[in-house]
Amino acid sequence: MRQSRTFIPTTREVPSSAEAISHKLLIKAGMVKQVSAGVYTYLPLAYKVIRNIERVVREEHEAFGAVELLMPILQSEDYWKESGRWYKMGDELMRLIDRKGAGYALSPTAEEIICQTVNNMVTSYKQLPVNLYQIQTKFRDEMRPRLGLLRGKEFIMKDGYSFHDSPESLRETYVDYYNAYCRIYDRFDLKYRAVKADSGNIGGSYTHEFQALAEVGEDTIVYTEESDYAANIETAVVVEDNYTMPTGFEKKERELLETPNQQTIDDIAAYCGVETNRAMKALALKADGEFYLVLMRGNDQLNELKFKKATGTSEVEMATEDEIEKVMGSCVGYMGPFDIKNCKVIGDNAIKYMYNHSCGANKKGFHYINVNPGDYPIDAHYDLRMIEEGDLAEDLSGPVKFAKGIEIGQVFELGQGYSEAMNVTYLDANGRANYFHMGCYGIGITRLVSAIIEQHNDKNGIIWPKEVTPYQVHLLCLDTKKEEQVKLSEELYEKLTKAGYEVLYDDRNERAGVKFNDADLIGMPLQIIVGKKASENIVEIKDRKTLEKEDVGVESILEKVEVFYK
């Protein structure tokens, strides 16, 4: 492609709202144009990258037998109500009404429609497993679109779905997808981690997220250097091996201590003469209409997701001051497990290892000191706290570290939740109707564009990995007024194109400096520069990643390019 005939509107100006490196470079390299908040036009270079990403995704999916189809973006509300997600999805689900008053959703995902597609078409266990995927535009009404293509209202996603007659068959396909995702991200030269995660609104009980490591990432990954353990911070388990009860400590007699005007847990701990992790704090929560008193160490933070899973609840809020006083018989700032009323008392596992500690006395201005395990009634202990750097990992391999990540894909075992809700069945070998076991597998196609740029750039611009680069060779004719340079450039353009390489030929009537800057900015892996030595049939080859340059005779060009792309 001649650069004078394509559309690459590079610029040195970026809006102040562009925070991420990838967002800035996408704009500077003339790859995207914002239409409205979270909505972009993909210009020619970006669209070529997207198509290359899609090509790799298709190749790896077809390699293990996944079959592509295309489902509608416009989806009837009836299917979403049938699955129970019409209201559960909340405001992120984009809804509209047609002229006849019928309700629709603009697809954010396609579990409902794939069930509708398979229903009555896959009827026997003999047809299973079925493994289908699509690459399609999706919509989510993000409250705060930001970071360019990383968090938008409209985006391109690959979503796959599989149907099975057993959990064992589902797990086999889950592993196929997991391994295919690893191959895809390896081909994109991404540094990533597969982490244990929460299934969120999709549902299911077993899932992994794939996170590309990047400082701009909105997710925190917990990992160890000693093993391949990794988890999302929201789901990372805190094992009891992190705690020990000191041997030989002297158990003291519990006392009621007046603690006037102590405002914070640190103040209370200091006043009671204990470290903060030996000052118990109590949180009053109201979950699905029921009251809970949650006991934790003073320096720990409650993980709401863990609380919901432990209690089997879905809607959680802090109890009001009035509810704490009138229902639970306590007062804000002085809550504790002694004589609390009308609530379940649960504790984080860590409190089993607290000794001679303080806690609220449920009386304004008073705390107990020298409290020990067994002194008070408790309904249950769970892992309820957020993990912290330095905690022992779940696999006991070593202390955990934190890193930021961009979610680029996720695989789910959905089980039978959707097939039951939508009454989608098959007949087994005995002629009995059974609900399908389902899997769901997503990759953020446009999000990958940004994730790749976040990891592959330098001060001058983008450095595309070879698998996704818009063009394999950037051919620069430095002076279009010099006949020998133009002639040699034209010959090379024809030779490389005939050899099957995608070439961007900078034939513009621009200064050499502009061409050099643009070439580094848009980041093709290999530059061939036709300049002053054109009359000697010598050109310069530049590796965009290493910045290494080499003078090469024209007769050796094809060999050099072939070696570069091996």
Side-chain angles (χ1 to χ4, degrees), residues 79 82-83 111-112 115-116 119 417-424:
Y79 300 118
E82 193 175 355
S83 73
E111 286 76 12
E112 286 78 7
C115 283
Q116 187 273 343
N119 194 24
Y418 285 93
S419 57
E420 284 187 23
M422 302 187 72
N423 196 31
V424 183

Side-chain angles (χ1 to χ4, degrees), residues 72 176 215 289 430:
D176 284 341
E215 283 303 312
N430 297 313

Side-chain angles (χ1 to χ4, degrees), residues 76-304:
S76 171
E77 68 176 4
D78 295 341
Y79 300 118
W80 283 79
K81 287 180 177 177
E82 193 175 355
S83 73
R85 290 205 300 171
W86 181 253
Y87 301 107
K88 186 178 179 181
M89 280 288 289
D91 292 336
E92 280 195 4
L93 184 63
M94 285 193 171
R95 301 170 171 87
L96 55 87
I97 298 173
D98 71 9
R99 67 178 69 191
K100 294 182 180 180
Y104 293 87
L106 291 179
S107 173
T109 180
E111 286 76 12
E112 286 78 7
I113 300 305
I114 197 67
C115 283
Q116 187 273 343
T117 300
V118 168
N119 194 24
N120 298 324
M121 299 189 80
V122 178
T123 57
S124 169
Y125 73 98
K126 295 178 181 179
Q127 296 170 271
L128 298 175
V130 170
N131 189 358
L132 305 168
Y133 77 96
Q134 67 173 349
I135 298 175
Q136 187 197 62
T137 299
K138 297 291 193 294
F139 299 87
R140 289 178 192 168
D141 194 0
E142 290 284 354
M143 180 178 291
R144 191 186 168 211
R146 57 191 295 266
L147 303 176
L149 304 185
L150 291 176
R151 186 164 293 279
K153 291 189 173 186
E154 177 181 319
F155 52 94
I156 300 172
M157 188 173 84
K158 188 284 307 185
D159 48 328
Y161 305 91
S162 62
F163 294 81
H164 308 266
D165 60 0
S166 69
E168 293 76 20
S169 175
L170 170 57
R171 181 57 61 90
E172 288 177 6
T173 297
Y174 185 98
V175 172
D176 284 341
Y177 270 98
Y178 184 102
N179 291 335
Y181 281 25
C182 290
R183 292 192 298 271
I184 289 166
Y185 302 137
D186 287 342
R187 289 176 68 175
F188 296 157
D189 196 20
L190 280 172
K191 297 175 183 176
Y192 65 94
R193 286 272 185 159
V195 304
K196 293 180 180 179
D198 178 59
S199 57
N201 285 326
I202 299 295
S205 58
Y206 189 70
T207 178
H208 285 83
E209 287 176 350
F210 291 82
Q211 297 274 354
L213 304 183
E215 283 303 312
V216 74
E218 295 182 293
D219 294 318
T220 299
I221 303 164
V222 178
Y223 71 99
T224 69
E225 293 182 341
E226 291 78 12
S227 75
D228 61 358
Y229 169 79
N232 190 295
I233 191 170
E234 292 182 340
T235 61
V237 172
V238 181
V239 293
E240 286 196 52
D241 298 70
N242 281 288
Y243 316 119
T244 57
M245 180 69 81
T247 56
F249 77 92
E250 181 185 352
K251 185 176 180 180
K252 298 180 181 179
E253 185 175 348
R254 185 171 74 249
E255 297 180 33
L256 185 66
L257 178 69
E258 187 172 7
T259 52
N261 303 318
Q262 304 305 307
Q263 301 298 317
T264 68
I265 193 70
D266 289 328
D267 293 339
I268 292 166
Y271 196 88
C272 294
V274 295
E275 302 90 351
T276 305
N277 65 359
R278 284 176 51 221
M280 177 184 284
K281 67 179 177 184
L283 306 174
L285 302 181
K286 187 176 181 180
D288 293 350
E290 191 168 3
F291 290 94
Y292 291 83
L293 189 74
V294 181
L295 308 177
M296 307 188 72
R297 296 185 304 184
N299 54 350
D300 288 338
Q301 180 183 352
L302 176 67
N303 183 317
E304 187 175 309

Side-chain angles (χ1 to χ4, degrees), residues 28 44 132 143 146 168 269 328 343 346-347 363 376 379 414 416 439 484 535 542:
K28 290 176 72 173
L132 305 168
M143 180 178 291
R146 57 191 295 266
E168 293 76 20
M328 304 173 75
C343 66
I346 63 174
K363 180 180 178 183
Y376 53 85
D379 292 296
L414 297 177
Q416 296 176 305
E484 67 274 14
S535 59
K542 176 181 173 181

